[in-house]
Amino acid sequence: MIKVVVKFFVKEEMIEEFLTLADELVRQTRKEMGCLSYELVQDVDNPEIFIIIEEWGSEEALILHKASGHFTTLVPMMLQLTDKKETSVCKTLF
Amino acid sequence: MIKVVVKFFVKEEMIEEFLTLADELVRQTRKEMGCLSYELVQDVDNPEIFIIIEEWGSEEALILHKASGHFTTLVPMMLQLTDKKETSVCKTLF
């Protein structure tokens, strides 16, 4: 099982547009076979910070996700609305 | 439900010690009433990055956690082993 934590620092004036794209990305991604969970959360103290917390059943599932139409279309558009993105592909320790 | 994402940037030579403390923190925290989930993951590409992903049933549960003996003892010790820590207290959007 693979956990991915992606932190987006969204431009303040672009938050609405970002949420529209992210909503679609979450909806489409949850339909994918290997997707165990895929959630968007917002930092309550820093509202420009959004984090997607993902769980994948296998490395292949994550590779397929990154090659999917919704990922290759939506994520580049989301990145144009952000100042910075930090991605951590992780293994669970305990 | 409250989600907390805590990213630790651990000094390379301190990783072993950090893991010993984190293991104890995870073990004790999971016994707490309002703790829905509490997991430590490690970035596979940046092994000095560790993330604790937490889920709490209520704000009170999180407050009690931060006042607990294991938190007030272990977290300061863990912080001495890190260069930086980023904490996001979050609400789930979708």
Side-chain angles (χ1 to χ4, degrees):
Chain A
M1 200 257 293
I2 298 169
K3 204 121 189 175
V4 181
V5 178
V6 187
K7 189 184 272 192
F8 296 87
F9 296 76
V10 181
K11 294 179 171 69
E12 203 180 333
E13 67 283 8
M14 297 295 185
I15 287 179
E16 277 315 307
E17 203 176 328
F18 176 85
L19 285 175
T20 305
L21 297 169
D23 184 21
E24 183 60 17
L25 179 65
V26 169
R27 221 202 306 266
Q28 295 293 338
T29 300
R30 283 179 178 163
K31 296 177 190 166
E32 293 180 46
M33 274 285 288
C35 179
L36 304 180
S37 77
Y38 197 88
E39 222 182 4
L40 179 73
V41 301
Q42 180 179 20
D43 187 315
V44 296
D45 301 314
N46 305 283
E48 76 289 357
I49 294 179
F50 294 83
I51 302 174
I52 295 181
I53 304 169
E54 317 173 20
E55 255 181 52
W56 297 93
S58 66
E59 220 163 309
E60 290 70 32
L62 181 53
I63 292 167
L64 284 173
H65 169 59
K66 287 184 176 173
S68 68
H70 47 279
F71 185 96
T72 52
T73 306
L74 295 168
V75 170
M77 294 166 73
M78 290 163 67
L79 292 182
Q80 281 173 357
L81 309 177
T82 63
D83 290 318
K84 190 172 70 161
K85 174 177 82 80
E86 295 170 0
T87 300
S88 283
V89 177
C90 304
K91 61 181 178 184
T92 301
L93 295 183
F94 26 81
Chain B
M1 198 254 296
I2 297 168
K3 205 118 191 178
V4 181
V5 178
V6 187
K7 188 184 269 193
F8 297 87
F9 297 76
V10 181
K11 295 179 170 72
E12 204 179 332
E13 67 283 7
M14 297 297 185
I15 287 178
E16 276 316 306
E17 202 175 328
F18 176 86
L19 285 175
T20 306
L21 297 169
D23 184 24
E24 183 61 15
L25 178 65
V26 170
R27 221 202 307 264
Q28 294 296 335
T29 299
R30 284 180 178 160
K31 296 177 190 166
E32 292 181 46
M33 275 286 290
C35 179
L36 303 179
S37 77
Y38 198 87
E39 224 182 6
L40 178 74
V41 301
Q42 180 179 20
D43 188 314
V44 296
D45 302 314
N46 305 283
E48 76 290 354
I49 293 179
F50 294 84
I51 301 174
I52 296 182
I53 303 169
E54 317 173 22
E55 253 180 56
W56 297 92
S58 66
E59 219 161 312
E60 291 69 33
L62 182 53
I63 291 167
L64 283 172
H65 170 58
K66 288 184 176 171
S68 68
H70 47 277
F71 185 97
T72 53
T73 306
L74 295 169
V75 170
M77 293 167 72
M78 290 163 68
L79 292 182
Q80 282 174 356
L81 310 176
T82 64
D83 290 320
K84 191 171 70 163
K85 172 177 83 81
E86 294 170 0
T87 301
S88 283
V89 177
C90 303
K91 61 180 178 183
T92 300
L93 296 183
F94 26 81

